[in-house]
Amino acid sequence: MDLWIPITIAAAFCQNLRSALQKHLKGKLGTTGATFIRFGYGFPFALVYLAGLNLVAGYPLPSPNMDFIIGGAIGGICQIIATFLLVYLFSFRNFAVGTAYSKTEPVQAAVFGLLILGETVTPAGVLAIIVGVAGVILISVAQAPLNARNVVSSLAGKPAFFGLASAAFFGISAVSYRAASLSLGGPNFLMQAAFTLAYVTVFQTIVMALWMRWREPEQLAASGANWRAAIIVGLFGVLGSAGWFTAMTLQKVAYVRSLGQIELVFTFLSSWLVFRERIVFQEIVGCVLIVLAILIIMLVA
């Protein structure tokens, strides 16, 4: 098994935990505050990880270049916007539809990967991405009434717009991170990913802290007041991001993000086995499609 596969699965699991905690804290912090804690409480863990690779493992620090600085900055800003839009979706009553659109990221990442990095995806890879996205959408809207009126209204509604926009910014962000990491050229994929992660999280923290100090100081204060829960969000956020950055240094973004859709399977299983929530046929079909997509990716990637 290629190394990027278990790394991606682990990253998806950590992201699932981080998202659940982030959603829980949104009521206390607001959209901006819930977005900020992912980076503001994550960057110390990213720096510790980088220091560990350098001081303990003995890997030398890479030399950043202009492509790295610009690529990481673009990716960082796009991820902030994407996360803000995704958290904002939770404020809509029918946020499930918007969340489903946000899961089109692998398709958009494939397009941006082609446009920015010139990376192509095989026909079997395209099939896997489409099948996986279809499965994710089924799970996301499974609990919502599925009829012609709702489908038509969802196409033009605000949740759909914000969901698609979130996916687009996540796609650009992921491709930018891969470009930044690869531009370092060494010493190895672990240090390239860790160095990129540390730079990006520090950059994002500075940008968001300055913005919140200027525009929303009360949310910056709330982020500090809820530091205990925020630390956990930051930890799992960095663990997940470290996995994503490492996997995207090893493999094309479209394949990594497509495999990462296994996060929805984790969510489904936890709601069923742990919380004993009712499941519907659409969720089962969606999980089957995601697993099928993952099997295809593992065979062709």
Side-chain angles (χ1 to χ4, degrees):
M1 180 187 293
D2 290 336
L3 186 59
W4 71 273
I5 293 176
I7 291 175
T8 299
I9 294 173
F13 181 76
C14 290
Q15 178 170 298
N16 184 43
L17 293 176
R18 187 262 303 160
S19 296
L21 292 168
Q22 213 170 8
K23 182 178 178 182
H24 173 71
L25 285 173
K26 181 184 179 297
K28 298 179 180 179
L29 302 178
T31 300
T32 308
T35 302
F36 170 74
I37 60 173
R38 172 180 179 179
F39 314 115
Y41 285 88
F43 83 87
F45 296 109
L47 293 177
V48 168
Y49 176 50
L50 178 65
L53 290 178
N54 178 235
L55 300 176
V56 179
Y59 299 146
L61 294 172
S63 300
N65 51 61
M66 192 54 64
D67 288 341
F68 171 81
I69 294 172
I70 294 175
I74 291 174
I77 292 173
C78 287
Q79 188 180 24
I80 290 174
I81 297 172
T83 304
F84 180 90
L85 292 173
L86 186 60
V87 175
Y88 182 62
L89 277 172
F90 298 143
S91 63
F92 291 95
R93 284 187 63 183
N94 56 337
F95 73 88
V97 175
T99 305
Y101 282 110
S102 75
K103 300 303 181 181
T104 61
E105 180 197 347
V107 176
Q108 301 198 47
V111 174
F112 291 126
L114 175 62
L115 295 177
I116 298 174
L117 300 177
E119 294 181 340
T120 59
V121 178
T122 65
V126 172
L127 174 62
I129 292 171
I130 293 174
V131 170
V133 168
V136 169
I137 290 176
L138 276 177
I139 292 176
S140 299
V141 300
Q143 300 294 338
L146 195 61
N147 52 53
R149 180 181 177 182
N150 285 345
V151 171
V152 172
S153 63
S154 70
L155 293 174
K158 286 185 178 180
F161 171 78
F162 286 116
L164 287 171
S166 175
F169 280 109
F170 271 130
I172 297 172
S173 173
V175 172
S176 298
Y177 290 155
R178 175 167 166 80
S181 184
L182 292 177
S183 73
L184 293 174
N188 54 54
F189 69 91
L190 282 176
M191 179 54 84
Q192 287 171 248
F195 194 80
T196 305
L197 174 62
Y199 164 62
V200 168
T201 51
V202 170
F203 172 81
Q204 290 171 320
T205 299
I206 293 173
V207 169
M208 285 212 69
L210 290 174
W211 169 265
M212 293 170 70
R213 181 68 182 84
W214 177 43
R215 301 291 295 180
E216 300 177 90
E218 70 285 351
Q219 292 210 27
L220 187 60
S223 300
N226 291 274
W227 62 270
R228 290 181 178 84
I231 286 176
I232 300 175
V233 173
L235 173 60
F236 281 107
V238 163
L239 288 175
S241 294
W244 293 126
F245 278 53
T246 304
M248 289 187 294
T249 302
L250 292 169
Q251 182 55 272
K252 296 175 183 177
V253 173
Y255 290 145
V256 173
R257 300 307 288 178
S258 216
L259 178 59
Q261 291 174 325
I262 197 173
E263 175 195 354
L264 267 292
V265 178
F266 293 147
T267 303
F268 168 77
L269 290 175
S270 63
S271 65
W272 177 37
L273 297 175
V274 178
F275 299 106
R276 303 296 180 183
E277 295 179 354
R278 184 178 64 89
I279 61 173
V280 298
F281 180 69
Q282 284 174 246
E283 290 175 315
I284 297 175
V285 174
C287 285
V288 171
L289 289 176
I290 292 174
V291 172
L292 176 60
I294 290 171
L295 292 175
I296 297 173
I297 289 172
M298 291 174 66
L299 289 174
V300 303

